[in-house]
Amino acid sequence: MAEQVVERPAAPVSPGERGRLWRRFRRRPMPMTGLVLVVAFLVLALAGPMLTRDPSAQDYNAIMMPSSGAHPLGTDDLGRDALARIASGARISLQAGLLSTLLALTVGIPIGLVAGFYRRWLDPVVMRLVDVVLAFPFLVFAVGLAAILGPSLRGVVLALSFIQLPQVIRITRGEVLAAREMDYVAAAIADGSTDGHILARYILPNCAGPLIVQATVAIPIAIIGEATLSFLGLGVQPPTPSWGVMLTTAQQYLDQAPWLAIWPGVMIALATLGFNLLGDGLRDVLDPRSGT
Amino acid sequence: MTPVLEIDGLVKHFGAGRGQAVHAVDGASLSIAPGEVLGLVGESGSGKSTVGRCILRLTDPTAGTIRLDDTDITHLSRRALRPLRRDVHIVFQDPYSSLNPRFSVGRIVGEPLRRHRVASGRELADRVAAMLERVGLAASLSRRYPHELSGGQRQRVGLARSLILEPKLVVADEPVSALDVSVQASVLNLMTDLQRDMGFSCLFITHDLSVVKYLADRIAVMYLGQIVETGPAAEIFASPQHPYTQALLSAAPVPDPVEQRERSRVVLGGDIPSPLDPPAGCRFHTRCPVAVERCRTEEPALVSRRDGGGPVACHLVTGADVPDLTAI
Ligand SMILES: Nc1ncnc2c1ncn2[C@@H]1O[C@H](COP(=O)(O)OP(=O)(O)OP(=O)(O)O)[C@@H](O)[C@H]1O
Ligand SMILES: [Mg+2]
C-alpha cells in the first residue's frame, strides 16, 4: 500500500473492553495509591468543611497551639483551627484544579476539533498561538495573567485554565488528524453524515482517553498553581483559607509553629502525587503507545 | 442511456512540499453504464484508490469533472452532496479500519438509513436484519462489535452498509485483497450474486486482473495516474493491446498449467516510476519492452484502435507500425 503514513489513534475502548482495562488498572499498586489519594482528597474537600469547625472562628485563648483533642492539627496565629482551614483549603484547591481544567476542556476541545477537522486557515493560526503560549514557562504566564485579572479565585481559575488551553487544543487536534484518516470516517461521510455528527460520534470519542489523561496531569499543576499564586498574594486573599495563603502566614512562624507550614505543604504534595499517579496509571491503561 | 458515472479528465495532485506534487491521477476519463461492472486495474500506486475517493468526494479533485447520473458533482458543497450520497457508496480494502470499533454491527449497517431518515425504529431494525442475511450473516450478529468478527465477516458488514440504501453505484476498492485467500472467493461470489440481484453499477478496483475476470463487464487499465486501455473484459483478456496490459496479464496466474507454459510472457522490469515526477512522453516507456524513440517524447492519447476495439494509449498500437509483441 502506498497510503500516506499517519499516526493511528489509540485503539478506542469498545464496550466490554472496559472491564478488562479496569482489571489491568487494579493490579498496579501505584495507580491504585493515586486513586486512593485522590478519593481521600475529594472526600476532604467535599465533606471536610461540614465536619470541622468554622475555619474563620478566632480563639484568642488558643493561639498557635500544637495539636490537641480540640484542635487535632493545632491552631494558627489568630487561634483558628488548622484542620478546619486545611479542609476548606482543600475545597479551594479542588475548585481551582477542577474548574480551570473543565474550562480549558470546554473551550479547547471545540477549537481543537474544528482546527483539526477543517484545517484551512484556522489550523495554522491556532497552532502558531499554541506554540507561542507553550514557549513560556507556565508559571510565569500564570503569574502575569493573574496579576492582570486581579487577585481572586476567579482570576486564578481563568489564568490557570488559559495556560492549560494549548495542551488541550494540541491533543484534541492530534487525535482529530489521526481519526479523520480512518476509513470508517470516510465511510461515515459516504453514509451521508453531517460534519457535526462525525465530530460528535466518531472523532470526539477518540479524544476522550488522551484528554482524561491530560486532565489528570493538569489538575495537580493547577492545584500547585493556585497555591503558588495565593502564596504570592496574586490569588485567593486572606482570610479565605487556601493552602497557599496558609503557607504565606506560616513562614513568619516557622520556629514557633512549624505545623502551620507542614500540614498545607503535605496536603499539596499528597494531592498532587495522587493525581499524578492516577494519571500515569490511566495513561498506561488507555494508551497502547506508552508501550505497556 | 445516461451513464451512472462519467469521469472526464480527472486530475488529482497532492502537494508534497517544496513546490512538488504527487500526480496521483493525471487526466483519467471513464464511464460506467447502469448495471455495469467496470474493473479498474493497475499496480500499487497507479492512482486507483484516488479515483474512487474522488468519486465519493472523500478527496477533492484538482481538475476534471465527475458526473453522477448526469449531475456534475465536482464542485458541489458537502451539504449539497449529502442527498446524492443515497445513490453511491464505497467498500474499503481494510476490513479493520473501515468499521467504527465503537458501533455495534447493527448500528453500522443502519447508519445510512438513519442519516438519510429513510427508516427508524422497528422498520430500521428489520431492514438491517434483512440486509445482514442478504450478505450471508446471521441477523443476531447486529448486537456484536466489529472486533468480535473475522475479516470476512467484517467485509460482509461493510458490504451490507454500502448496499442497504440500494445505491446505483458502488465503488469497491480492493474489497477482497486484505482477506484470507480461502474467504476471497466466497466474498467475490457474494458480490457477483448481489450485483446480479440488485443491479447496481460497480467500479471494482483491483491490482489483480484475475479477480475481475468473471465479475467485470469492462476493464480499464490504469498506469501512473492515467487510463492506458479500456475495453470489454473478454476482449482485454483475449487480446490485450497495450504492452502494460499484456504485462499485467502475463503476471496474473492462469489455472491451466499448459496454457501457463505456452502463453507468451511480457515481463515488467523495475518499479513503477515516482508519481512526483512522471516520465515524459508515454509514462510507460521506462519499462516498456517495445518502446521506440517517439514514446520518449510524445504522449500517446487514448484513442480507438483501427480495428474498432476499445481505446488504447500507445503509439505502437494506434500508430503506423504495430509490432508483434508475442515475438519478443
Ligand atoms: N493523501 C495523500 N497525500 C499524498 N499522496 C497521496 C495521498 N493519497 C495517495 N497519494 C499518492 O498518490 C499515488 C496514488 O495512490 P493511490 O492510493 O490512489 O494508488 P492505488 O492505485 O490505489 O495503489 P494501491 O494498490 O497501493 O492501493 C501514490 O503515489 C500515493 O502515494
Ligand atoms: Mg488503493
Side-chain angles (χ1 to χ4, degrees):
Chain A
M1 274 300 295
E3 226 60 278
Q4 226 185 355
V5 181
V6 290
E7 200 182 334
R8 294 236 160 167
V13 184
S14 54
E17 220 176 343
R18 261 171 222 138
R20 195 175 56 76
L21 290 180
W22 167 238
R23 280 191 294 281
R24 227 165 92 192
F25 183 88
R26 207 178 42 186
R27 271 193 279 107
R28 296 154 188 249
M30 296 308 251
M32 278 311 284
T33 311
L35 187 61
V36 168
L37 284 174
V38 167
V39 169
F41 170 69
L42 293 178
V43 170
L44 177 66
L46 297 175
M50 290 182 281
L51 303 174
T52 53
R53 294 155 182 265
D54 174 3
S56 344
Q58 303 178 355
D59 179 355
Y60 293 106
N61 297 319
I63 299 237
M64 286 198 278
M65 296 290 286
S67 119
S68 65
H71 304 288
L73 298 184
T75 58
D76 69 2
D77 56 321
L78 298 174
R80 295 175 295 197
D81 182 49
L83 178 62
R85 294 181 66 74
I86 288 285
S88 298
R91 205 170 255 199
I92 301 280
S93 288
L94 182 67
Q95 283 181 49
L98 279 191
L99 289 182
S100 64
T101 303
L102 284 180
L103 187 60
L105 291 174
T106 313
V107 177
I109 289 175
I111 296 179
L113 284 178
V114 170
F117 195 69
Y118 292 105
R119 310 296 301 272
R120 303 193 197 284
W121 59 269
L122 184 65
D123 192 40
V125 172
V126 167
M127 289 320 286
R128 203 54 60 230
L129 288 176
V130 162
D131 288 342
V132 168
V133 176
L134 282 177
F136 283 92
F138 79 93
L139 264 180
V140 173
F141 217 101
V143 165
L145 274 175
I148 296 168
L149 293 164
S152 64
L153 183 59
R154 211 189 85 222
V156 168
V157 167
L158 287 178
L160 293 175
S161 76
F162 188 81
I163 59 170
Q164 293 181 40
L165 207 49
Q167 279 297 1
V168 173
I169 294 175
R170 230 169 59 155
I171 291 171
T172 309
R173 174 182 172 271
E175 292 300 318
V176 175
L177 290 186
R180 51 177 270 153
E181 297 298 325
M182 302 299 284
D183 285 343
Y184 63 74
V185 172
I189 296 173
D191 287 344
S193 309
T194 59
D195 292 353
H197 181 82
I198 291 174
L199 283 170
R201 292 313 185 84
Y202 290 77
I203 294 189
L204 189 57
N206 274 326
C207 307
L211 285 174
I212 289 171
V213 172
Q214 157 66 15
T216 56
V217 174
I219 290 172
I221 294 177
I223 289 175
I224 293 183
E226 183 275 323
T228 309
L229 292 174
S230 299
F231 179 79
L232 295 174
L234 292 166
V236 178
Q237 296 298 301
T240 312
S242 145
W243 293 344
V245 170
M246 292 162 77
L247 281 174
T248 315
T249 318
Q251 55 178 344
Q252 305 166 41
Y253 308 108
L254 276 181
D255 294 336
Q256 304 103 297
W259 61 87
L260 290 182
I262 290 172
W263 288 115
V266 167
M267 294 314 294
I268 293 171
L270 285 181
T272 313
L273 179 69
F275 277 105
N276 277 329
L277 292 178
L278 179 66
D280 284 351
L282 285 178
R283 193 198 335 263
D284 285 353
V285 171
L286 288 178
D287 185 357
R289 279 172 293 192
S290 63
T292 38
Chain B
M1 233 184 323
T2 38
V4 168
L5 170 75
E6 193 165 19
I7 295 177
D8 193 23
L10 182 70
V11 176
K12 176 65 191 182
H13 291 176
F14 293 104
R18 282 182 279 116
Q20 287 192 304
V22 177
H23 298 226
V25 181
D26 232 355
S29 305
L30 53 83
S31 76
I32 302 181
E36 184 180 48
V37 178
L38 177 71
L40 183 61
V41 187
E43 274 169 291
S44 180
S46 52
K48 309 178 299 291
S49 296
T50 307
V51 169
R53 295 178 68 88
C54 283
I55 293 169
L56 279 109
R57 285 283 307 277
L58 299 173
T59 184
D60 288 331
T62 309
T65 55
I66 301 166
R67 293 173 162 279
L68 285 178
D69 231 5
D70 235 13
T71 309
D72 185 343
I73 62 146
T74 324
H75 303 290
L76 281 190
S77 70
R78 289 171 73 111
R79 183 188 295 267
L81 213 50
R82 219 173 293 132
L84 302 182
R85 295 193 179 282
R86 284 183 67 155
D87 289 331
V88 207
H89 214 293
I90 182 165
V91 180
F92 291 99
Q93 172 173 14
D94 181 359
Y96 287 87
S97 80
S98 59
L99 307 181
N100 186 350
R102 292 171 206 278
F103 282 6
S104 69
V105 166
R107 175 82 199 262
I108 291 169
V109 175
E111 265 301 277
L113 296 174
R114 268 206 200 87
R115 301 278 66 88
H116 292 282
R117 301 183 202 287
V118 170
S120 60
R122 187 73 249 157
E123 191 200 344
L124 184 129
D126 289 345
R127 283 185 68 168
V128 168
M131 193 66 231
L132 284 176
E133 273 163 12
R134 229 166 153 185
V135 298
L137 295 173
S140 61
L141 237 51
S142 67
R143 279 187 308 277
R144 300 286 196 81
Y145 283 83
H147 71 267
E148 302 173 275
L149 308 185
S150 70
Q153 287 175 318
R154 282 162 168 256
Q155 209 56 322
R156 286 167 194 260
V157 171
L159 205 53
R161 165 181 61 194
S162 309
L163 295 177
I164 194 156
L165 283 173
E166 307 195 349
K168 293 181 184 158
L169 174 68
V170 174
V171 173
D173 188 355
E174 312 240 17
V176 300
S177 45
L179 301 180
D180 266 12
V181 180
S182 54
V183 291
Q184 280 188 1
S186 64
V187 172
L188 274 180
N189 286 337
L190 172 68
M191 289 190 70
T192 313
D193 292 346
L194 288 168
Q195 196 275 332
R196 216 160 278 154
D197 292 352
M198 302 175 72
F200 53 85
S201 305
C202 181
L203 180 71
F204 195 104
I205 297 172
T206 175
H207 61 270
D208 183 357
L209 262 170
S210 61
V211 167
V212 284
K213 184 161 187 179
Y214 303 103
L215 195 62
D217 302 309
R218 271 191 317 128
I219 305 258
V221 180
M222 195 163 181
Y223 186 76
L224 263 187
Q226 299 181 333
I227 308 282
V228 296
E229 177 167 8
T230 70
E235 212 168 279
I236 296 272
F237 278 94
S239 65
Q241 299 295 308
H242 197 285
Y244 180 62
T245 313
Q246 295 173 345
L248 276 183
L249 265 177
S250 59
V254 172
D256 179 355
V258 179
E259 195 187 332
Q260 171 85 35
R261 226 179 305 122
E262 288 182 351
R263 71 191 175 139
S264 61
R265 301 202 38 107
V266 181
V267 180
L268 265 188
D271 283 332
I272 191 164
S274 164
L276 273 175
D277 183 22
C282 171
R283 297 200 164 182
F284 187 56
H285 84 253
T286 55
R287 300 164 79 193
C288 182
V290 293
V292 297
E293 193 49 41
R294 186 180 174 199
C295 305
R296 281 177 249 284
T297 52
E298 193 185 326
E299 195 169 328
L302 189 65
V303 291
S304 293
R305 278 147 44 187
R306 282 162 304 172
D307 62 4
V312 185
C314 177
H315 295 309
L316 300 175
V317 176
T318 56
D321 32 34
V322 184
D324 180 8
L325 290 175
T326 53
I328 295 163

